[in-house]
């Protein structure tokens, strides 16, 4: 039997329990030869050809830096490849996300109607980590999901969830995803806005902010930097487990077509 406390709900249908998902005994269906593209060609190239099957990618960055846009890119690219996607939105309503996607010519409303895209939202006033976990697992198993975007993990930390609960949530979820060969892109809001001085391109607090980095397989950092009275958007790959990847820092912009990564930053 599984020991420890178990969250439960009492609803009109009776009592529903949410026991922990066992992480032992699961076989990881990861594959370094099979890569899932993000839909941003240069970023895929930076990561060695895309995200290895079954790997979890953490995308950290400032507010408005493009994390959610990259998540939508990832889902849109998957649908083009015939892979159903799941969007776990913990910040914006699905209505707002549909409107934002349409600005990039991505018809998420049609994807939802055609059942190529599914969504899970959370009301943090009345939600447990394990309840949210089960909603995600159920959506994945019922709909043949191959790609998942969680936007964002930092929302869980800023709500009533203790950081230990968030860590347990991710450990269970990543073990489940790996056992199914599912790729997950999770966004994480970093607090530091313009933390780098003229000798740096990455701020000082990044390593302490991304305390969940040991759980994930890859980390992409998106942030702003100010040089010569101009604000630049930068992207870099900080980690890609078991893969060769570029360590360069590249500039990017967000346009009608989404994220466009340009040349290497030389500031």
């Amino acid at each position: 039997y599984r020991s420890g406390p178990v969250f439960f709900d009492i609803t009109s249908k009776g009592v529903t329990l949410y026991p922990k998902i066992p992480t032992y005994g699961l076989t990881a269906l990861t594959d370094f030869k099979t890569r899932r593209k993000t839909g941003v060609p240069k970023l895929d190239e930076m990561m060695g050809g895309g995200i290895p099957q079954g790997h979890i990618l953490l995308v950290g960055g400032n507010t408005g830096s493009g994390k959610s846009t990259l998540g939508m890119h990832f889902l849109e690219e998957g649908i083009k490849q015939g892979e159903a996607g799941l969007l776990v939105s913990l910040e914006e309503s699905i209505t707002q996300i549909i409107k934002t996607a349409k600005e990039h010519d991505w018809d998420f409303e049609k994807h939802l109607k055609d059942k190529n895209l599914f969504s899970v939202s959370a009301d943090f006033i009345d939600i447990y980590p394990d309840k949210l976990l089960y909603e995600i697992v159920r959506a994945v198993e019922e709909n043949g999901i191959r790609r998942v975007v969680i936007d964002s993990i930092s929302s869980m930390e800023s709500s009533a969830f203790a950081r230990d609960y968030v860590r347990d949530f991710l450990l269970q979820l990543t073990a489940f995803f790996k056992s199914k060969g599912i790729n997950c892109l999770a966004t994480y809001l970093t607090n530091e806005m313009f933390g780098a001085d003229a000798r740096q391109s990455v701020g000082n607090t990044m390593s302490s902010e991304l305390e969940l980095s040991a759980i994930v397989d890859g980390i992409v950092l998106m942030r702003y930097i100010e040089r010569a009275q101009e604000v630049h958007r930068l992207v870099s790959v900080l980690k890609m487990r078991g893969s060769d990847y570029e360590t360069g820092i590249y500039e990017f912009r967000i346009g009608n077509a989404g994220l466009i990564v340009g040349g290497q930053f030389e500031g």
Side-chain angles (χ1 to χ4, degrees):
Y1 62 92
R2 302 182 200 173
S3 60
V6 175
F7 287 103
F8 68 92
D9 265 345
I10 301 176
T11 68
S12 59
K13 296 181 180 180
V15 178
T16 303
L17 278 71
Y18 306 102
K20 299 290 186 185
I21 294 177
T23 57
Y24 56 86
L26 295 178
T27 302
L29 297 181
T30 55
D31 185 353
F32 289 96
K33 294 181 180 179
T34 302
R35 303 257 175 170
R36 290 196 167 104
K37 309 293 187 181
T38 63
V40 184
K42 180 57 183 178
L43 181 58
D44 291 332
E45 181 184 322
M46 291 165 62
M47 292 190 293
I51 309 170
Q53 176 182 293
H55 281 208
I56 314 302
L57 182 69
L58 185 67
V59 180
N62 314 127
T63 181
S65 61
K67 303 182 302 298
S68 299
T69 305
L70 179 56
M72 289 189 285
H73 252 298
F74 181 65
L75 292 172
E76 178 71 15
E77 179 66 19
I79 292 168
K80 289 179 181 177
Q81 302 299 326
E83 297 176 333
L86 173 66
L87 175 60
V88 182
S89 177
L90 306 181
E91 293 184 344
E92 290 186 286
S93 68
I94 190 63
T95 303
Q96 182 59 47
I97 292 169
I98 289 171
K99 290 180 179 178
T100 303
K102 189 161 289 188
E103 292 300 311
H104 301 297
D105 294 327
W106 301 326
D107 197 344
F108 276 24
E109 186 172 20
K110 182 177 186 301
H111 294 335
L112 288 163
K113 288 179 180 178
D114 293 344
K115 297 190 181 303
N116 296 317
L117 178 65
F118 301 84
S119 67
V120 168
S121 300
D123 181 358
F124 283 120
I125 297 175
D126 186 25
I127 190 71
Y128 307 119
D130 294 335
K131 179 179 179 181
L132 176 60
L133 178 68
Y134 268 78
E135 289 184 8
I136 294 171
V137 168
R138 183 169 61 248
V140 166
E141 291 183 331
E142 291 179 354
N143 301 296
I145 301 297
R146 307 311 302 162
R147 296 180 180 223
V148 178
V149 169
I150 302 177
D151 191 21
S152 72
I153 296 298
S154 47
S155 296
M156 298 174 65
E157 291 186 347
S158 62
S159 68
F161 294 0
R163 179 158 289 193
D164 287 344
Y165 277 126
V166 176
R167 185 177 177 83
D168 288 347
F169 169 88
L170 276 180
L171 284 170
Q172 293 176 82
L173 200 60
T174 54
F176 171 74
F177 285 158
K178 286 179 182 298
S179 72
K180 302 290 184 179
I182 293 170
N183 283 94
C184 175
L185 185 155
T187 66
Y188 189 98
L189 177 66
T190 59
N191 295 320
E192 185 180 345
M193 183 68 78
F194 295 99
D197 61 29
R199 298 164 297 174
Q200 298 176 300
S201 294
V202 178
N204 296 320
T205 65
M206 180 52 55
S207 60
S208 61
E209 286 182 353
L210 297 181
E211 293 183 1
L212 302 173
S213 60
I215 300 175
V216 301
D217 301 290
I219 300 175
V220 168
L221 174 61
M222 308 174 74
R223 61 174 43 224
Y224 306 107
I225 193 168
E226 184 181 1
R227 293 290 185 270
Q229 288 74 55
E230 288 189 5
V231 176
H232 302 261
R233 279 190 169 106
L234 305 180
V235 61
S236 56
V237 180
L238 298 186
K239 174 183 177 180
M240 189 57 57
R241 182 172 288 150
S243 301
D244 289 332
Y245 61 91
E246 287 192 43
T247 57
I249 299 172
Y250 287 80
E251 291 198 64
F252 74 95
R253 61 184 178 86
I254 300 176
N256 291 338
L259 267 69
I260 302 171
V261 179
Q264 193 162 356
F265 181 66
E266 298 179 355

